[in-house]
Amino acid sequence: MKIVQLNTTYGMADSTGRNVKELHNYFMHEGHESYVYVNKFNDEVSRLDLNVKLFSNKMDQKMHAVLSRVTGLQGYFSKKSTQRLLKELKVIRPDVVVLNVLHSNCINFEMLFSYLAEEKIVTVLVLHDCFFFTGHCCHYVDSNCTRWKDKCGNCPSMKKWNKSLFFDTSKKVLRDKKRWFSKFDSINLNVIAVSKWMEKEARKSILKNANIAAIYNWVDLESFKYTDELPAKLPKQMKKHIAVAVASYWDEDKGLNDIITLSESVNDLTILVIGNSNGKFKTCNNIFEVGIVQDMKEMARYYSIADVFLNPSKQETFGKTTAEAFACGTPVVAYRTTACTELVNRERGGLAEWGNIGDFISKVRDVLNNGRMFYSMRATKFAKENFNDIKNMKAYLNFIEDAVNRKKK
């Protein structure tokens, strides 16, 4: 079977780039022809794989970004880049194309969807966020919006996500997406949701007639497990308790301000912040900025040293860092929202009321008072049962094979 994956990134620096790389290697290990097209490599090692190629370039992405900001239309440009990609697909003649995160100024959706529908290629949309079924946004919980179920319009998030400077195009975009997806035969349009919460949302959306299944993201359990080895980068002095927080890029949606408030409220806590923070925590005495960590075993050392893992994100479609923390036996405190409610409970940490930083701080204190060992075994057991990498990647492959077999019948 020939499988092509499309994604914005490839490699270890972010969750979708890592997912795509691990799936690519798994597909090849299982004897399938696997190809990946991206517009950015996260690490130099990934460039060595001849079956992984760039389909866009920086100049095209910059032009797309400018046009998107001005017009409010994301995924309506990059025609030459998309033509080059389609030319490659015509040579490969894939049985399946798996679409991941592509709302990054790199592709023309109408050209791509029209080609896949006309050629009757089995297509799998992986819902890492909500963009495939909304008129603009990647997430909508923070704005309490349900317009995506019907027509969109009067979008509360046009200045956010794929930011539009002037126009609210959400009604047009959702209408266009309905039209693009309607071109597919029902057996050729398939959806993988990365959590049960995301599956429920998809079934209320313009994708409701597709073949939809929920498959959790996974964790490399050989790398993510408890270790008593210390990470390389630590502050010279640390408080009584240690917390770890991780984000690819730290902003308010990931809970930046909540981390700062927590640091000011819990005096005996040192918070190790991992990811691109651009010095946003420099003025906080008990926050230490680690920076980007790409090595999984090094990440496991940070999770293992922590008394608690902090996930103050306002909206998580899955929460891979939560799964990684559990695999290392670390309890997690998160908000009671979206997929977090599937992963976190009192046996594995604490859930605070959505947006209530006071309750979040209270739950952190509860976890610290109970001690890491109170949660550790149950967190590890939950991770092994739900986030096994081989088991969940096999579920992806089974889903794809079932889709191809339905087409043949």
Side-chain angles (χ1 to χ4, degrees), residues 12-287:
M12 307 308 290
D14 63 80
S15 60
T16 62
R18 186 193 303 175
N19 271 26
V20 169
K21 183 172 185 175
E22 290 171 346
L23 271 176
H24 170 59
N25 291 332
Y26 177 76
F27 291 154
M28 290 196 297
H29 180 268
E30 293 299 305
H32 300 283
E33 287 187 48
S34 179
Y35 305 87
V36 182
Y37 289 89
V38 298
N39 68 358
K40 179 186 175 183
F41 286 103
N42 286 336
D43 51 75
E44 291 303 312
V45 175
S46 296
R47 293 178 182 272
L48 302 177
D49 191 328
L50 297 180
N51 280 19
V52 183
K53 299 179 181 179
L54 296 174
F55 70 84
S56 182
N57 58 62
K58 290 183 179 179
M59 183 62 71
D60 179 73
Q61 292 160 29
K62 287 180 180 178
M63 183 61 70
H64 194 138
V66 171
L67 291 171
S68 179
R69 295 291 185 274
V70 173
T71 64
L73 299 171
Q74 171 61 225
Y76 282 71
F77 309 104
S78 296
K79 290 187 176 181
K80 288 186 178 180
S81 292
T82 307
Q83 285 173 346
R84 287 194 296 269
L85 171 64
L86 297 184
K87 187 176 180 180
E88 294 264 342
L89 294 182
K90 289 173 184 176
V91 173
I92 295 171
R93 298 179 63 83
D95 298 294
V96 180
V97 172
V98 181
L99 307 181
N100 292 277
V101 176
L102 293 171
H103 48 82
S104 187
N105 307 310
C106 63
I107 203 161
N108 185 290
F109 282 116
E110 181 158 27
M111 291 173 64
L112 174 64
F113 289 137
S114 294
Y115 172 78
L116 295 173
E118 289 167 7
E119 295 298 316
K120 300 186 184 301
I121 296 172
V122 173
T123 301
V124 179
L125 309 178
V126 182
L127 301 184
H128 297 286
D129 58 34
C130 307
F131 182 79
F132 277 128
F133 61 78
T134 71
H136 174 77
C137 65
C138 300
H139 299 280
Y140 42 74
V141 172
D142 62 335
S143 57
N144 195 29
C145 180
T146 59
R147 297 184 184 95
W148 52 272
K149 296 179 184 179
D150 185 20
K151 296 180 179 179
C152 277
N154 295 319
C155 179
S157 300
M158 286 306 296
K159 302 296 183 184
K160 192 177 179 182
W161 309 113
N162 302 287
K163 186 183 296 185
S164 173
L165 296 177
F166 304 110
F167 305 108
D168 181 350
T169 57
S170 59
K171 186 173 183 178
K172 167 187 166 49
V173 172
L174 189 64
R175 185 172 63 242
D176 286 345
K177 287 179 180 178
K178 285 182 181 179
R179 176 169 55 83
W180 298 337
F181 292 138
S182 70
K183 294 180 180 180
F184 285 83
D185 293 338
S186 58
I187 57 172
N188 288 334
L189 186 61
N190 304 271
V191 173
I192 292 177
V194 298
S195 64
K196 295 173 185 176
W197 174 84
M198 179 59 89
E199 179 190 11
K200 290 178 182 177
E201 299 298 281
R203 292 191 186 280
K204 304 171 191 172
S205 77
I206 60 173
L207 296 172
K208 60 188 175 185
N209 293 324
N211 175 39
I212 304 174
I215 304 174
Y216 279 145
N217 287 331
W218 52 88
V219 172
D220 180 350
L221 296 176
E222 287 301 310
S223 297
F224 289 100
K225 58 185 177 182
Y226 176 79
T227 175
D228 56 8
E229 294 181 24
L230 294 177
K233 193 174 179 182
L234 288 172
K236 292 180 181 179
Q237 292 183 329
M238 291 190 288
K239 307 281 181 136
K240 178 182 178 181
H241 297 295
I242 300 170
V244 167
V246 182
S248 297
Y249 180 82
W250 278 100
D251 58 16
E252 176 50 25
D253 284 311
K254 286 297 181 181
L256 182 149
N257 291 334
D258 288 352
I259 293 291
I260 293 173
T261 302
L262 174 66
S263 75
E264 296 169 345
S265 303
V266 185
N267 297 324
D268 60 349
L269 186 66
T270 295
I271 304 175
L272 307 178
V273 172
I274 298 173
N276 185 351
S277 55
N278 288 332
K280 294 172 182 175
F281 300 100
K282 274 187 177 178
T283 59
C284 306
N285 293 329
N286 55 337
I287 295 181

